[in-house]
Amino acid sequence: MAHNLWSGVRLALLRRVTAETFCGTPGDLAILAVADLLLNLVASFLLVGRSGEFAYQAIPSFFFHLPLFLLLGALAARRLDRPALVTAIPVALVALSIPLELCHALLEGLAQLPHLDRLNDWLEESHYYRFFWWWLTAGAVFLGRLVPTLRRRLPVLLFFSVLVVVPLWFFPRGDLWVAPDEGAEGGELHLTGDVLATQQQLLDRQLDQLLPGRPATPHLYFVGFAGDAGQDVFTRELTAVGRLFAERFGAAGRTVLLANNPRTATILPFATKANLARTLARIGRVMNRHDDLLFLYLTSHGSPGHELVVDNPPLELGGLTPAQLRAMLRTSGITWKVVVVSSCYAGGFIAPLADDHTLVITAADADHASFGCSYGERFTWFGKAYFDEALRRTYSFTGAFARARETIRQWERQEGETPSNPQISAGGAIERQLARLEKHLKNGGSTDGPGRTGRGRLPQRSQSE
């Protein structure tokens, strides 16, 4: 088996390896197939840990390809009049797959290290298939070298494409040891008595502690809304952005965070439409409407119908539409507003919210998805580019948008993604008010709360539908 595995490594490196190099008996094929299965089990167990579970449904996918390999070997053997190819070709293709699987497992392991978490980008589906293309290319090179003439080579490569490549593309195999399916990244929300009692107090506490505005001094009130409980990235991003605004933009004592996540059920009030409306109404009464500004940040999934997902099972909450948000803002009486919507198809919020006193920024236009809401991520692409990078260098919300849009364009080109086209709409009056706030912050404007404006640092990028 060691000889076959070494030959598989040479195949992966596109070195010249003949069919006779492999030990191609039926027994060798069986040993390699079992070794391939056991290797996946061990590697996936080491990556997931004891909390995982055995995926019985993945077992057929580990043997589904063997009859296809044998049929390819039989057709090639008959076409080339070389009987040994019946098992030599399957042995070579299985031996080739093992080092590539090890490379992918190694990449997964490295991506779990704190300073190498960006390698997670290479574990998304579009990148995973690069390993498949690597296997396909090496396999095609091996088969092409079996015969010297193009006329006899083409039928073998055609058999390979039809019998092997197409089925494996549509029916890829899965890991044998996987993390338990909990429905949501943060687990399941249990509506215990403690949770319900705490939730009644959490929002009251945040609203009661809001500091009032003062005449002739612009202050920023920050409201964050993480609508989807299924993935932790929205809550992680929300808390990081809230900290950034408290430390750098003087919003300490004037911040309210609403989040749907089982992990924060006793820490943060739920992100419901009722809680959002209540929060905006309270801020409208506390703030100095002539001078102060609201920065409202909403992050979640989004639908092509321009509805922001608000989901926290088993609660049935219903999505947030642009019309509903517009009504909440009008009822609150807040004059100066910055509204940032980070979701797919968020551009649908611009027209309903835009006016002379409002700046609206969205992570995508009305017809495209945004990226970055994969499991394990700390920021969406937009959140990373706009908040964690651009707003650390400037106090200008519009200037930061220009920087972030270019950064996102670069990332999308690099990853081959369809452009999300982030959007911005600024009224003339809000631009003047934002310039006033920016000047105040640049001059070291402080709050009368428990924090002071400064260049706070956050701990440390697809947001698809």
Side-chain angles (χ1 to χ4, degrees), residues 359-436:
L359 170 67
V360 186
I361 291 174
T362 63
D365 63 20
D367 303 310
H368 291 91
S370 57
F371 306 97
C373 61
S374 303
Y375 285 89
E377 297 290 349
R378 299 185 66 184
F379 285 94
T380 62
W381 283 13
F382 178 82
K384 179 69 174 175
Y386 185 67
F387 294 105
D388 195 44
E389 295 189 2
L391 278 180
R392 294 193 179 283
R393 300 180 175 92
T394 180
Y395 291 108
S396 169
F397 298 136
T398 55
F401 174 81
R403 292 187 183 187
R405 178 167 55 187
E406 183 55 36
T407 299
I408 293 169
R409 284 173 177 169
Q410 293 176 7
W411 290 343
E412 290 169 343
R413 284 196 296 266
Q414 291 170 6
E415 304 301 332
E417 302 286 3
T418 302
S420 54
N421 301 320
Q423 299 291 299
I424 187 170
S425 171
I430 188 66
E431 288 186 329
R432 293 188 292 272
Q433 189 70 2
L434 288 174
R436 184 180 171 214

Side-chain angles (χ1 to χ4, degrees), residues 132-147:
F132 179 79
W133 287 113
W134 184 4
W135 178 86
L136 185 157
T137 300
V141 169
F142 167 73
L143 293 172
R145 287 171 173 169
L146 292 178
V147 289

Side-chain angles (χ1 to χ4, degrees), residues 182-219:
E182 297 176 326
E185 187 176 358
E188 182 180 353
L189 173 65
H190 297 284
L191 292 176
T192 64
D194 289 341
V195 169
L196 294 174
T198 303
Q199 276 293 318
Q200 291 179 356
Q201 303 169 9
L202 288 174
L203 185 58
D204 289 339
R205 191 177 305 142
Q206 289 199 46
L207 297 183
D208 290 342
Q209 294 175 352
L210 286 172
L211 296 173
R214 294 182 301 173
T217 303
H219 289 98

